[in-house]
């Protein structure tokens, strides 16, 4: 398990799947988190959004647990891992009861450590909807810089929304970690 101050990132367990599915796979959350339209999935199918034991080279899935009580509080991933450009994207989703507790900032910090130290990446980036201020704050607290806005880039439940792009380079992360 990778540990931060408040959370741990561990392999996903079979028991996590129904909780994540019930709490995070509703039409509104799916559309906001993935930019893709919601559709029903059969639990355990290869297309289901939450799986155990995914072996794809370009994504690493984690379950997020609260270190205080080992309770499942969400899901996190490093995705779009490009071994040639040494870059990847960060994604996370917290269960509704876990939001507003500072977990996102800690998750981003642990994913940065994992991406830069374990994978030897040079760049990490986060794309989030412009109205997702908690995610933007979590990224900025970890040294991410707002690089731009993609206007009307996401179709979410009947409307186009702007997307914010935030990036962090390994040398900026190392400088921030040293202070």
């Amino acid at each position: 398990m990778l540990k931060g101050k408040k959370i741990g990132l561990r392999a996903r367990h079979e028991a996590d799947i129904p909780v994540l599915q019930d709490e995070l796979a509703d039409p509104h959350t799916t559309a906001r988190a993935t930019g893709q339209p919601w559709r029903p999935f059969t639990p355990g199918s290869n297309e289901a959004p939450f799986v155990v034991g995914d072996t794809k080279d370009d994504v690493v899935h984690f379950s997020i647990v609260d270190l205080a009580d080992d309770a499942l509080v969400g899901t996190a991933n490093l995705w779009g891992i490009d071994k040639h450009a040494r870059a990847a994207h960060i994604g996370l989703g917290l269960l509704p009861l876990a939001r507003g507790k500072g977990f996102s900032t800690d998750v981003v910090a642990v994913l940065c450590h994992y991406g830069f130290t374990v994978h030897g990446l040079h760049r990490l980036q986060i794309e989030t909807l412009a109205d997702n201020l908690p995610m933007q704050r979590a990224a900025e607290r970890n040294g991410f810089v707002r690089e731009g806005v993609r206007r009307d880039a996401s179709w979410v439940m009947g409307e186009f929304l702007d997307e914010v792009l935030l990036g962090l380079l390994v040398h900026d992360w190392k400088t921030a970690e040293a202070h």
Side-chain angles (χ1 to χ4, degrees):
M1 179 183 307
L2 301 172
K3 293 184 180 181
K5 295 175 183 169
K6 297 180 176 188
I7 60 88
L9 298 181
R10 63 160 170 76
R12 189 162 298 144
H13 298 169
E14 285 291 341
D16 298 345
I17 302 298
V19 175
L20 296 172
Q21 189 71 27
D22 288 346
E23 298 281 335
L24 297 177
D26 67 76
H28 190 69
T29 302
T30 299
R32 289 184 60 78
T34 67
Q36 300 296 315
W38 177 86
R39 62 181 220 197
F41 292 99
T42 303
S45 77
N46 291 337
E47 295 179 353
F50 305 110
V51 296
V52 173
D54 190 352
T55 58
K56 295 176 189 151
D57 286 341
D58 66 340
V59 64
V60 180
H61 296 286
F62 296 98
S63 284
I64 307 168
V65 294
D66 183 345
L67 291 177
D69 59 7
D70 204 39
L72 178 68
V73 295
T75 181
N77 56 49
L78 206 61
W79 63 275
I81 300 170
D82 181 334
K83 292 178 182 179
H84 178 72
R86 294 178 47 202
H89 305 258
I90 286 177
L92 67 97
L94 292 176
L95 304 182
L97 291 174
R99 296 174 188 156
K101 298 181 179 182
F103 291 147
S104 293
T105 299
D106 207 23
V107 171
V108 171
V110 175
L111 286 172
C112 287
H113 172 79
Y114 179 73
F116 290 135
T117 304
V118 176
H119 279 273
L121 298 176
H122 176 72
R123 173 186 169 78
L124 291 172
Q125 69 184 50
I126 295 172
E127 299 89 0
T128 189
L129 294 176
D131 65 354
N132 189 351
L133 299 179
M135 187 64 204
Q136 291 175 53
R137 284 192 297 271
E140 289 167 348
R141 286 181 186 129
N142 280 288
F144 281 77
V145 175
R146 185 179 173 128
E147 295 180 336
V149 175
R150 296 179 55 218
R151 298 177 305 137
D152 284 354
S154 292
W155 176 253
V156 179
M157 301 301 285
E159 66 179 319
F160 283 105
L161 299 175
D162 292 350
E163 202 174 83
V164 174
L165 172 65
L166 301 115
L168 178 63
L169 303 178
V170 68
H171 60 81
D172 295 332
W173 175 74
K174 286 180 179 177
T175 301
E177 290 285 62
H179 291 101

